[in-house]
Amino acid sequence: PHPALPMPAALYGAQRRNSAGLDLASEATLAMLAQALQESRGRSWQGAPLLAIDAATDAVPQPVLNPADRRETVGTVIEATTIDVEQALVHAQRDGTPWGQCAPSERAACLERAADLLQQAQPELMALLMREAGKSCAAAVAEVREAIDFLRYDAAQLRAGFDNATHAPLGPVVCISPWNFPLAIFTGQVAAALAAGNAVLAKPAEQTPLVAAQAVRLLWQAGVPRAALQLLPGRGETVGAQLVADARVQGVLFTGSTEVARVLQRTLAQRLGADGRPVPLIAETGGQNAMIVDASALPEQVVADVLTSAFDSAGQRCSALRVLCLQDEVADAILAMLQGALAQQQLGRPERLCNDIGPVIDEEARAHIETHIAAMQAHGHRVWRPVPVDRDAIARGSYVAPALIEIERIDQLLREVFGPVLHVLRYRRDGLDALLAQINATGYGLTLGVHTRIDETVARITGAAHVGNLYVNRNMVGAVVGVQPFGGERLSGTGPKAGGPLYLYRLLRRAPVDVLPRALRLAGATPAVQEAPLLRLLREWAQASGQPALADACTRFAAHACHGAAVVLTSVTGERNEYSLHPRAAVLALAAQEPDRLLQLAATLAVGSRAVWPQEAAALLTRLPPALRTAITLVPDWQGAGLPFDVVLHHGTPEEARALAVQLAARPGPTVTLHSVPVGCAVIALERLVVERALSVNTAAAGGNASLMTLA
Ligand code: NAI
Ligand code: MG
């Protein structure tokens, strides 16, 4: 003990209690878990539509089977019918509003009670996660903890500065979650939507309705009104699609495949929200995540971190390592060590501590992954699968023996392979920039790992990588709420980051104008006003040319943009976690009136981004000071394919906004967000023009934990 080292529960200070883990090396704990598993097997778990008012049903419940052993029925599920979905929407719209009107502190108290209930139910929830989702013990501990952390993080944010007078919810919000984190992502989405005051319609993944149903029961028990949280288990193409297409729905939170995210974007583009503006979609999708290992890295540590990053949870994490990039000089040595380590891994039922790798979620997933491995082999790539497989286990569950596959270039991979498959690529020392270009060229931007002892290399990679989460000298999975805010860019997601300070604000219809400074203060920073150089130029030009309103806007935006902000987040000793804001690549500015376009330019320059202007603004461009013109690209046809802008600012009518949303949704490539406001509106949500990045560095990797050694 040391007075300067907080106990685990107090790690995040007085505002937010840390979730508790379990000691899996303790015999007593293991006996307790064995008991919980036994009890779980003896119970008949039920998933069904959980609506504001119980509805009678004559539907036949379908069995939910354990992916590790399909002879075991975990429970049964009744999927929602179109009538259930309609009922839920009626309740949400009619009776969901009082939740948003109760004081933020009351909502916070509710979420905190739910966190405590989840903590009490940890063994029971873990047993369900192991049996329904094929999680290992350790992964199940981490998942329950993450769910608890989300609830407390959102509660802390409510207490820190939410006010119903200035913060208004969207209305009914749909949460669509995946099976790979059936409790953590499910709870994370639901808790955020509830915290912001919205009525939630939650659709869990087909494969994992039982743990979601249990989470909803606990949230109800904690005091969340039934009309504010309803569960609609069922298929994405039916239940999910019906929900997203419904005009009453005012926002969608989605985690899953890039393909489905696009479908949702197209559906939402067909209509406007109750405020006549585009319906917000927060999509968190996949990645083609790489780790770069240079010759200065410690091979033993690389191998341990690679095993965790690529094969934990059988590789079924969106953050998981897919492409290991080894510098030529050390590739053979590390590969040999990695093969040896992999050969020691054991495949099998995840609740047995001796097993390292559990099943994949279902036979469809297994077939996909095996098809990929076979195709790579057929194309002449070297494939290693050193883990012996138990034929009996394979016959009963969905197991994939882990694979290492050598590739020469990243573009040999056509899409994300969501399983225990690690591709290995060699690169030349002088080819680092080309490698970074290859990684960026995948179009994804979720996680990136770096193993090196050279600070300049870290800086070079950090500076060039377009990814949401960067990890140095550590594994690259298991982001912690509030410590490594999680989420990607471009094809990997729309932002804001889950477990980060901006998330709740995206779930509001009306938010304060100073969202970015508020978020940074919440993250522990004291945001300073940093006027970007080009913004100053614009302000001076506005003053000199008699445009006081524009000059005022420049001053206001400078105060609210938090240009270049970075903050070190509180975390465990031995790790440095930095959260920073960066401008989006380019902002397409669409406005019919000159003052609106200049206002858009001010917002763009305030965050440090670049502007893309349509041809009709050419005359205005020539009147600007030459230095300002360098930040603006004039394009003859913004709808042309390869144009690089990742957000659109629009001043105009709702009808224009809708047409624009349809056009944007039809474009190939990443989701482009549209921020549309009425003509003459001087308020622009600057948070829409930035991306958030999280950097996590294992500071103990190079020569010990200096911060411990220097503790006063
Ligand atoms: P998916 O994207 O189809 O499913 C995710 C959720 O979306 C589920 O709740 C599903 O029911 C729902 N959904 C599916 N189609 C829908 C539609 N048309 N409208 C509304 N909701 C819909 O993902 P799936 O099929 O489970 O896995 C396919 C691939 O997606 C994986 O191989 C992996 O590459 C990726 N994936 C990524 C995840 C991540 O954490 N980023 C999680 C799960 C899958
Ligand atoms: Mg699917």
Side-chain angles (χ1 to χ4, degrees):
H2 187 289
L5 291 179
M7 295 301 279
L11 188 62
Y12 306 122
Q15 293 79 37
R16 173 163 79 93
R17 186 146 47 93
N18 190 6
S19 57
L22 283 177
D23 179 6
L24 296 180
S26 146
E27 288 295 335
T29 304
L30 294 177
M32 183 271 288
L33 282 176
Q35 172 83 25
L37 272 165
Q38 206 47 45
E39 277 168 19
S40 186
R41 291 196 183 98
R43 246 172 99 171
S44 98
W45 296 93
Q46 282 167 12
L50 298 175
L51 307 184
I53 297 169
D54 287 328
T57 173
D58 50 11
V60 184
Q62 300 299 312
V64 177
L65 306 180
N66 182 340
D69 186 340
R70 291 191 195 288
R71 295 170 306 178
E72 182 181 324
T73 302
V74 185
T76 60
V77 62
I78 296 172
E79 301 201 331
T81 60
T82 46
I83 297 166
D84 293 328
V85 175
E86 174 58 29
Q87 274 307 310
L89 284 159
V90 169
H91 294 315
Q93 200 182 31
R94 199 186 56 202
D95 308 320
T97 24
W99 167 252
Q101 289 158 350
C102 67
S105 61
E106 255 177 71
R107 296 204 297 271
C110 231
L111 298 181
E112 283 160 351
R113 279 194 300 273
D116 294 345
L117 288 173
L118 257 71
Q119 188 79 71
Q120 281 164 27
Q122 188 168 34
E124 170 186 295
L125 291 168
M126 282 176 61
L128 206 44
L129 285 165
M130 290 187 256
R131 299 174 62 231
E132 187 182 31
K135 294 259 160 172
S136 69
C137 244
V141 174
E143 174 146 12
V144 179
R145 288 194 57 203
E146 188 179 347
I148 295 167
D149 285 340
F150 272 125
L151 288 159
R152 294 197 180 133
Y153 184 83
D154 294 339
Q157 189 161 2
L158 283 182
R159 291 193 190 279
F162 262 62
D163 179 346
N164 288 347
T166 47
H167 299 60
L170 289 167
V173 161
V174 167
C175 295
I176 298 178
S177 47
W179 44 265
N180 62 337
F181 286 94
L183 181 65
I185 293 179
F186 179 85
T187 308
Q189 292 179 341
V190 166
L194 284 174
N198 301 294
V200 176
L201 302 135
K203 198 212 76 71
E206 290 85 331
Q207 297 90 337
T208 51
L210 301 179
V211 72
Q214 200 53 17
V216 168
R217 291 184 196 109
L218 290 172
L219 279 151
W220 281 358
Q221 196 186 328
V224 175
R226 287 176 61 150
L229 172 59
Q230 302 177 86
L231 182 76
L232 294 157
R235 301 204 22 207
E237 294 78 358
T238 54
V239 177
Q242 187 186 346
L243 283 168
V244 174
D246 196 282
R248 285 162 286 192
V249 169
Q250 301 296 316
V252 175
L253 282 69
F254 170 78
T255 302
S257 59
T258 309
E259 293 77 11
V260 172
R262 291 205 64 94
V263 171
L264 302 187
Q265 191 199 5
R266 292 210 188 96
T267 306
L268 291 177
Q270 301 299 323
R271 68 168 199 272
L272 294 169
D275 58 353
R277 297 292 140 188
V279 179
L281 166 68
I282 302 183
E284 171 67 59
T285 54
Q288 194 64 276
N289 311 311
M291 179 189 280
I292 303 176
V293 176
D294 77 5
S296 72
L298 181 66
E300 291 80 357
Q301 192 182 353
V302 170
V303 168
D305 288 341
V306 167
L307 281 186
T308 309
S309 304
F311 301 114
D312 190 85
S313 302
Q316 302 172 103
R317 295 172 179 260
C318 45
S319 53
L321 171 61
R322 309 288 179 208
V323 188
L324 174 64
C325 310
L326 300 171
Q327 188 181 322
D328 265 341
E329 286 80 355
V330 292
D332 285 332
I334 290 183
L335 205 49
M337 206 185 273
L338 183 59
Q339 286 165 3
L342 188 58
Q344 297 295 309
Q345 299 274 299
Q346 209 163 301
L347 197 67
R349 292 190 69 118
E351 72 272 24
R352 299 222 178 101
L353 286 179
C354 60
N355 292 331
D356 305 287
I357 302 178
V360 297
I361 191 65
D362 54 24
E363 281 300 292
E364 191 185 327
R366 194 187 62 77
H368 257 104
I369 302 163
E370 290 291 357
T371 305
H372 169 76
I373 298 171
M376 293 301 277
Q377 203 146 22
H379 278 91
H381 295 278
R382 269 201 286 176
V383 176
W384 290 276
R385 303 183 81 176
V387 180
V389 288
D390 174 347
R391 296 277 145 213
D392 276 357
I394 293 220
R396 294 195 292 262
S398 304
Y399 293 93
V400 175
L404 290 176
I405 304 179
E406 273 218 69
I407 58 174
E408 293 79 42
R409 298 185 322 275
I410 299 185
D411 64 11
Q412 290 169 328
L413 302 175
L414 299 178
R415 49 158 304 163
E416 178 183 42
V417 180
F418 214 65
V421 180
L422 176 61
H423 305 93
V424 183
L425 173 149
R426 295 157 193 260
Y427 73 94
R428 286 161 47 106
R429 188 175 117 82
D430 59 8
L432 181 59
D433 290 331
L435 176 65
L436 283 164
Q438 276 193 59
I439 293 170
N440 285 336
T442 63
Y444 290 99
L446 193 49
T447 61
L448 177 70
V450 182
H451 268 263
T452 176
R453 301 296 137 123
I454 304 171
D455 287 343
E456 285 78 4
T457 306
V458 175
R460 196 161 141 206
I461 294 173
T462 318
H466 301 298
V467 295
N469 289 70
L470 220 130
Y471 297 93
V472 179
N473 291 330
R474 49 155 290 178
N475 73 51
M476 46 196 274
V477 293
V480 177
V481 174
V483 178
Q484 292 109 19
F486 184 77
E489 302 167 17
R490 303 186 295 157
L491 287 176
S492 295
T494 56
K497 282 178 179 293
L502 287 176
Y503 201 85
L504 292 195
Y505 290 106
R506 193 72 188 89
L507 297 166
L508 297 172
R509 159 136 11 263
R510 195 173 67 248
V513 292
D514 57 343
V515 164
L516 290 171
R518 280 168 180 265
L520 284 165
R521 275 196 295 274
L522 182 81
T526 332
V529 177
Q530 286 267 19
E531 190 178 27
L534 288 180
L535 182 67
R536 184 167 49 92
L537 255 185
L538 180 65
R539 180 171 53 77
E540 287 166 359
W541 175 77
Q543 275 157 349
S545 57
Q547 303 179 70
L550 178 60
D552 282 354
C554 289
T555 309
R556 197 156 40 82
F557 288 158
H560 296 159
C562 300
H563 177 59
V567 47
V568 174
L569 302 172
T570 306
S571 63
V572 291
T573 171
E575 203 172 85
R576 182 173 182 280
N577 290 288
E578 188 185 283
Y579 168 83
S580 54
L581 299 178
H582 302 263
R584 286 195 176 268
V587 182
L588 175 66
L590 298 177
Q593 317 270 339
E594 211 164 83
D596 288 344
R597 195 184 306 283
L598 287 169
L599 193 86
Q600 294 174 352
L601 180 64
T604 303
L605 298 178
V607 297
S609 186
R610 299 179 48 81
V612 175
W613 280 10
Q615 194 62 44
E616 73 232 32
L620 175 59
L621 186 69
T622 56
R623 299 208 321 268
L624 292 177
L628 273 183
R629 283 182 233 155
T630 60
I632 302 166
T633 311
L634 209 57
V635 294
D637 169 23
W638 66 263
Q639 291 163 55
L643 287 178
F645 57 83
D646 44 2
V647 56
V648 178
L649 276 182
H650 171 245
H651 275 83
T653 64
E655 211 22 69
E656 285 166 10
R658 205 189 59 80
L660 207 53
V662 172
Q663 276 174 309
L664 291 170
R667 285 166 58 96
T671 308
V672 174
T673 46
L674 169 62
H675 181 34
S676 173
V677 296
V679 174
C681 172
V683 178
I684 291 180
L686 298 174
E687 62 276 15
R688 306 285 289 277
L689 308 183
V690 299
V691 290
E692 312 162 88
R693 299 221 170 112
L695 171 68
S696 182
V697 183
N698 171 6
T699 53
N705 187 342
S707 65
L708 274 187
M709 290 188 267
T710 55
L711 266 188

